[in-house]
Amino acid sequence: MDFEPSPRCVEFKERLGAFMDEYIYPAEELYERQRAESGNPHHHPAVMEELKSKAREAGLWNMFLPDPDEGAGLSNADYAPLAEILGRSHIASEACNCSAPDTGNMEVLHQFGTPEQKERWLRPLLDGEIRSAFAMTEPDVASSDATNIAMRIERDGEEYVLNGRKWWTSNALHPNCRIMIVMGKTQPDAPTHKQQSMILVPIDTPGVTVMRNLSVFGYQDQEGHAEVDFADVRVPASNLISGEGDGFMIAQARLGPGRIHHCMRAIGAAERALEAMCKRAVSRVTFGAPVAMRGNVQDWIAESRIEIEMARLLTLKAAWMMDTAGNRHARTEIAAIKVAAPNVALRVVDRAIQVHGGGGVSDDFFLAPAYAHLRTLRLADGPDEVHKLSIARRELAPHIPREG
């Protein structure tokens, strides 16, 4: 197992790190100020377009996509350290056109889209001209079991008709969102994992109603997490991705790399929180000594370093296995990192909040919104419990007696 970064990865890390220092970190405050001054929590700050132009000029664009013609041509293992760097700032991924759910949607279209679908939707997504959303979770069923998804997608001549309701459709309130990938049921009588399909639905299609935004611990995230109603929504049959019944297959292909990205971004957030914890601990004095001299604080710092290193190595192992053995053989590792990385990051951020005192739970620091986002990540792309169930089943399988 080789964790040595390739020369291209090292070169990208150096350039991305410099870009973060020169442009991203200094722009964070301006981004939030422009958003607040607009009076609209989903406003697209002008500074973001400036950052996108600079990132593209710097060659730090679509780094997630392994296709060298459309992306950077990096492997999962090479992109993982870059995702960690991007995770240090809540605006970095969008600036580099590497933010979810667009990355997953672009991967789906790149892998399964028709030439017409790629031209109509993938091209403007790759160019950063539009944003997209992914509509899978539903309010009326436990969507952690995706077989529960009830939205109907029914063929009617040369069209499909969609009826149902989704929520946590992230990015649907971004002003530049133009297209959704929607998962629903096309063949209710087919085998369990062949009932679902994915289809492209422009967000302005008649019958699509963005009903409300869902807050995250009271935060109104800029991209929004929408509840969306679909009432007799008609789209051309050519909008179907791959074929009827391929929804689960597409979902699995989409989620593998996405979980690497999520986990490494979480580790990046944890690293920044650890740095903030250390800086705060050495700069504040309580009862005649710096906070950093307190044994419990030193314990928090040490535990944070240990946990971050473990989570990073596990995630890098998963990325390496995906590159060398394929996603199927990395299923246990992919499930494990999705549990481990957000939980580690949450613990580190929580300790940093404690060291910051009252300031830690305010918006004066990045810690409180980071905690809210990371807590949500324990549910996104499947809750912890589903991933643990998957791991346990694979561990138990060799020990279960076979009948006959």
Side-chain angles (χ1 to χ4, degrees):
M1 190 178 302
D2 184 8
F3 290 157
E4 184 69 24
S6 71
R8 289 200 73 216
C9 176
V10 171
E11 188 256 338
F12 267 93
K13 282 179 65 177
E14 291 175 352
R15 288 197 289 119
L16 182 57
F19 183 79
M20 297 283 289
D21 290 337
E22 185 173 358
Y23 297 111
I24 297 296
Y25 300 132
E28 289 176 337
E29 185 178 345
L30 176 59
Y31 177 94
E32 291 301 337
R33 186 166 68 249
Q34 289 180 347
R35 184 178 163 210
E37 289 173 351
S38 75
N40 174 11
H42 309 298
H43 174 70
H44 184 63
V47 69
M48 178 53 71
E49 290 303 317
E50 297 173 14
L51 292 171
K52 286 166 65 176
S53 294
K54 288 182 170 64
R56 196 159 191 174
E57 291 170 4
L60 300 170
W61 192 257
N62 293 335
M63 294 178 290
F64 71 95
L65 198 62
D67 184 336
D69 295 324
E70 303 287 7
L74 297 169
S75 65
N76 287 297
D78 279 346
Y79 178 65
L82 308 182
E84 177 180 340
I85 295 172
L86 293 173
R88 293 174 61 89
S89 172
H90 66 291
I91 65 173
S93 292
E94 183 174 7
C96 295
N97 213 42
C98 291
S99 54
D102 293 329
T103 50
N105 289 344
M106 285 189 270
E107 286 166 341
V108 165
L109 288 169
H110 183 266
Q111 191 170 351
F112 301 105
T114 64
E116 293 76 19
Q117 290 170 352
K118 291 179 180 179
E119 180 64 26
R120 178 69 183 88
W121 300 114
L122 178 59
R123 187 71 264 159
L125 281 168
L126 288 168
D127 290 340
E129 297 171 356
I130 65 172
R131 298 292 305 273
S132 64
F134 184 70
M136 178 176 174
T137 306
E138 297 181 3
D140 296 328
V141 298
S143 300
S144 56
D145 177 358
T147 63
N148 286 334
I149 289 172
M151 167 172 273
R152 291 303 309 275
I153 304 176
E154 298 174 295
R155 184 74 180 252
D156 183 17
E158 293 305 307
E159 295 180 316
Y160 280 100
V161 183
L162 288 77
N163 282 283
R165 185 168 294 185
K166 300 290 186 179
W167 71 346
W168 295 107
T169 305
S170 297
N171 227 28
L173 286 157
H174 193 291
N176 296 340
C177 184
R178 298 291 181 270
I179 188 68
M180 296 180 287
I181 293 180
V182 183
M183 186 168 177
K185 191 167 289 189
T186 48
Q187 304 175 71
D189 299 326
T192 302
H193 291 91
K194 293 294 290 182
Q195 296 178 7
Q196 310 280 349
S197 300
M198 290 193 188
I199 196 163
L200 290 156
V201 180
I203 201 165
D204 60 356
T205 305
V208 174
T209 303
V210 178
M211 302 183 67
R212 63 175 176 138
N213 179 55
L214 296 156
S215 64
V216 179
F217 285 98
Y219 286 101
Q220 297 287 330
D221 288 343
Q222 187 268 345
E223 68 275 14
H225 309 286
E227 183 171 358
V228 186
D229 187 62
F230 297 77
D232 293 326
V233 174
R234 290 180 172 270
V235 296
S238 58
N239 281 23
L240 191 73
I241 301 175
S242 190
E244 284 196 7
D246 287 341
F248 273 90
M249 178 271 292
I250 297 169
Q252 290 305 307
R254 183 184 190 278
L255 288 175
R259 286 172 181 155
I260 297 289
H261 306 168
H262 273 315
C263 291
M264 290 303 287
R265 284 194 296 261
I267 292 166
E271 279 284 8
R272 192 173 181 187
L274 177 55
E275 291 174 11
M277 184 183 353
C278 293
K279 291 176 181 177
R280 187 77 168 186
V282 299
S283 67
R284 294 284 172 149
V285 174
T286 60
F287 308 106
V291 171
M293 294 299 102
R294 307 300 173 190
N296 64 313
V297 174
Q298 294 183 359
D299 187 68
W300 293 345
I301 292 169
E303 289 288 345
S304 297
R305 171 50 61 207
I306 293 166
E307 290 172 349
I308 288 172
E309 294 299 326
M310 290 192 297
R312 180 186 290 113
L313 286 172
L314 183 58
T315 308
L316 289 174
K317 179 192 176 186
W320 176 82
M321 287 190 67
M322 288 169 63
D323 290 335
T324 56
N327 292 15
R328 190 167 183 271
H329 294 285
R331 285 182 299 177
T332 296
E333 286 73 14
I334 292 170
I337 62 171
K338 185 55 178 60
V339 176
N343 279 283
V344 163
L346 276 169
R347 287 195 293 271
V348 176
V349 172
D350 185 67
R351 293 164 187 151
I353 288 173
Q354 199 70 10
V355 171
H356 281 71
V361 295
S362 76
D363 287 343
D364 286 4
F365 300 90
F366 72 95
L367 297 167
Y371 187 94
H373 170 74
L374 290 164
R375 182 60 185 84
T376 307
L377 195 55
R378 288 189 56 202
L379 296 165
D381 288 353
D384 291 359
E385 292 73 20
V386 170
H387 297 297
K388 289 179 180 179
L389 178 64
S390 173
I391 295 167
R393 283 175 173 170
R394 292 191 187 98
E395 291 296 316
L396 287 167
H399 307 285
I400 297 174
R402 296 182 179 179
E403 295 184 2

